[in-house]
Structure formats: C-alpha cells, structure tokens
Amino acid sequence: MTVDRLNELLLACTLVLLVAVAAVRLTSRIGLPTLLLYLGIGMIIGQDGLGVDFQDAELTQVFGYAALVVILAEGGLSTRWRLIKPALPAAAVLATVGVGVSVGVTAAAAHYLVGLEWQTALVMGAVVSSTDAAAVFSVLRKVPLPSRLSGALEAESGFNDAPVVILVVAFSTLDALDQPAQHWLLLPGAMLLQLAIGLAIGLAVGRLGAFGLRHVALPASGLYPIAVLALTVLAYAAAAMVNGSGFLAVYVAALVLGNARLPHRPATRGFADAMAWVAQMGLFILLGLLVNPSELLDDFWPAIAIGLGLTLVARPLSVALSLLPFRRPWQEHVLMSWAGLRGAVPIVLATIPVVNGVAESDRVFNIVFLLVVVFTLLQGPTLPWVARRLHLGQDERTVDVDIESAPLERLRGHLLSVTIPRDSRMHGVEVAELRLPRAAAVTLVVRDGTSFVPDPTTVLMRGDELLVVATDPVRDEVEQRLHAVAEGGKLARWLRETGATGIRRNRRPGE
C-alpha cells in the first residue's frame, strides 16, 4: 500500500459513500428500502459490473459481524425501555419458540419443494428465520403503530439474532446425519446457556457503564458517545470470548445505556445513528460485491418457493403459536406476520455455511440473497398500507420532551437542555407550574430564535428550548418532573408522576 494507492482508495470510497448517502434521499421519496439500493451499488461495482473481483466470504463474514454489532448497538440505544417493557414476554417467545417453529417449517419447505439435503435445508431455515434489526427499526419508526405492537417487533428483531446465529453455526459445523440423537437433545440447553451468559454480561456492562459515566465527568462532550459505543462493543466481545451470545449482550447493554440518565444522550444517539448508517452502507455494498448476478437466475424460483413458505406459512405459524398465551387480536397477528422483514442479517449468516464448506452452500447464499431482495421489496413498502387496512395505525405523535444533560463539574450541578415537541402537553404550562425543586431553575428560554430570561408566569410554548440549571442531588428529580409534566400537563401535580424510566412518586405536600 502506497500513498498514491491510498489516495485512489479514499477517492473511490468517498464517492461510493456520497452516492449511498444520496440514495437515502431517493429511497425516502419512492418508498424503496435503502438496503436494495446499497446491494445494487455493490453489484454494479462488482465482477459483473465495473469489474471489481471480490469473492472473500470469510472477510465478508468478519465485516458483517462487526457491522451487526454497531447496528444492534444503535437499535438498543434508540429503543425506549418503557415502550418495549410490556412487550418483552411476547418478544422473548417470538425470538426463541417462534424461531424454532420458523426454522422447522422453512427447512421442510426447502427440502420438499427445492430438494435440498436435510442439513442444507436446516441451515437455510435457520439463516432466514431472523428478522433484520436494521430493516425493522428503519421501517417501524416511519409507521405509527401502537406501542405494544411496535415494541414487540423491535424487541424481537433485537433479540432473535442471538439464537439464530447459534443455530446456523451448529447446523453448519456439524453433520446432522452423523450426530447421535442425544447431541441434538442437548442443543436447546446449550443455546439457553449462551443466551443466559450474553444476557448477564450485557446487563452487567450496561449498568456498570452507566454508573461510571454518571459519576465521572469527562473533559469533552464528544467523549461520551465514544465511551457509550465502546461499552456496547465491550459487551459483545466479553460475551463472545466466554462462549456466550455476543449479539444479545451488545443489544442488552445498549438498551440499558440508552435508557439510563447519561450526559449528552441526544448526542450519543446521533453518533450511534451515524455509525449505524455507515455500517449498513458498507455491509450492504460489500454483500452486493460478493454476489455474482449471472449466477442468480438459476436459483430465482427456488428462492420464491422458499420465500413464500417462509412468509405465508412459517412466519404466520410461528407468530400464532408464540402469541397464543397472550391473546392478541387477529389483526396484530397478521401485521406481525407481515412485518417479519429480512435484510442484511440473513445474507451475512449465509456466509457461515460457505466458510464452513457445507454442501451447496453457494446455492444457499444465492437463494438467501434473492429471497431478501424480492420479499423486502414486497413487504417493506406495503407495511404502512397493511397497518392502515388493519386499522392499527396511530395518528398521535410523541408528547414527551427531549432532555440533554451536560455536567458542570466544578459547580456540582447539571445544565439541562429541554426541547418541547410540537404536541407536548407542556405547551401552555407556566414556568411556576413546572414545580421544580428549590435547587433548580429555568434560566433561559429560546423561542423563535430569540432568547429571554423567563419569570414565574412565563407560558411555555411548543418549540421552546429551555435551559434548566439543577444541583447534583436534585438532577434526577428535575428530569422526572419535566417528563411528568410533558405527559400530564398541568394536571401532573395532582396525579402520580411517572418519569421516563417508569419510576413513580406520590404528590408531595404543597404540590
């Protein structure tokens, strides 16, 4: 590698990156999933296009794992605990029992409809049984669904990567026909152990990391996003090193950190979002480079057959059986079945059998690639329409407030930056009616680009930005009070207050 070669590489990479960024604007207008454009860019650059020859499945797998870690970290950091908490039991069943049902049904379809050998069919069933976190997160955040429904889908997509990876590795590295029956009877126990290890490490890293970041004032605000993302990667690496589920660990750690009261949370989420976009672009383009379009035509109809079995039989059956104890209405069953989006995860997992030399693994990769492209193109753009037809859409916007905290180390206090959204119930509330603790005060209001110091009778309005100074002992109480007023308006002082973390306190005397 020379400097001249480096310059050429940087020029090519930045041009591809800029094209990928511009593609986001195009896809947002026409409703096309961005992953399809990124895959297309990779295929255009590849061997059948501009002639870049890239056939390293093992390197793709390595980069794919790294990208999935970042994508899952961003998903956890941007997921609100209070929205997914009620849906966790259903999501956990979907990510375990639902995955098992989907693997079995899809494997049977691959064996009987396409003629794949049983081991290859089981690998195929496991590879395509994971919903893709990036695809689900990007689509669901544009569809106004009820919180328990969107929460279940987001949590499922974050959790189900872990058991699927375990199954794909198990089916790819072992010959199913030569293993004794007791080996496969022990597989569920081994899988639960790996998930338990990943869960424990994710919780430990998330809680210890949040504690440390709250009590150590870093010298620059830009260090907080780096520290948070590094902690999520630490959770993955630590779990993977002890044979635990690294993917579950990174998502759980990010979920804990994203819902902790940390300084500069909006900046952290923005940084993680940017890193996730870079990871998605690089991953999809790399996957597009790996595939040869000229080899796909022979596997088109097998991909359609397996995809139809997965979408119309395996996914609805897994949803129905998983949600049976929760008595969800049939409309939610239909939507959750249709919202089982596939994306980069199945294509990355399809490189595992290629690396391990499983029979017909190249064919598995081509089928998975085609399946993802065709059914993402079908399901992604139609999901909002399906939600409306099932009368599951919501027109309500969030009423919460965005709060960013910056520590004031020498003053032993915090400067809270509060943004009042358009439909927040804080609109019309006077400053005195916020009833903040005595050790806190609203020091500045920015409205329509003009700043002024408020008095107790100043009426807050939608779009206002507030600067609130609070001492360290009352910082958490101030944030909880602001969230309570955002949810309950002026009546929050008469009701039991619920903050962003779900902690409640009764009204104090005089409030």
Side-chain angles (χ1 to χ4, degrees), residues 50-213:
L50 298 180
V52 176
D53 187 12
F54 180 80
Q55 299 295 325
D56 195 335
E58 187 171 3
L59 182 62
T60 303
Q61 179 184 334
V62 172
F63 279 117
Y65 271 46
L68 292 180
V69 169
V70 176
I71 293 169
L72 283 171
E74 189 276 332
L77 289 171
S78 59
T79 298
R80 293 192 176 186
W81 170 250
R82 59 176 178 161
L83 295 182
I84 71 166
K85 182 180 178 180
L88 276 183
V93 177
L94 280 167
T96 51
V97 176
V99 163
V101 173
S102 181
V103 170
V105 174
T106 307
H111 178 71
Y112 292 109
L113 297 180
V114 181
L116 296 179
E117 295 294 332
W118 269 115
Q119 183 191 4
T120 309
L122 287 170
V123 170
M124 174 69 72
V127 164
V128 299
S129 291
S130 174
T131 57
D132 184 72
V136 172
F137 292 152
S138 62
V139 172
L140 287 183
R141 288 167 189 172
K142 300 176 183 178
V143 182
L145 297 176
S147 59
R148 73 169 185 172
L149 189 55
S150 60
L153 288 168
E154 287 201 25
E156 180 205 4
S157 65
F159 289 144
N160 65 11
D161 288 346
V164 166
V165 170
I166 296 171
L167 289 175
V168 173
V169 172
F171 293 145
S172 298
T173 56
L174 299 172
D175 189 344
L177 298 179
D178 293 339
Q179 293 297 323
Q182 57 267 29
H183 172 82
W184 297 108
L185 293 176
L186 294 176
L187 181 60
M191 185 171 66
L192 290 176
L193 178 61
Q194 291 188 40
L195 295 176
I197 293 173
L199 176 63
I201 291 178
L203 287 173
V205 172
R207 290 179 177 178
L208 291 175
F211 177 83
L213 290 174

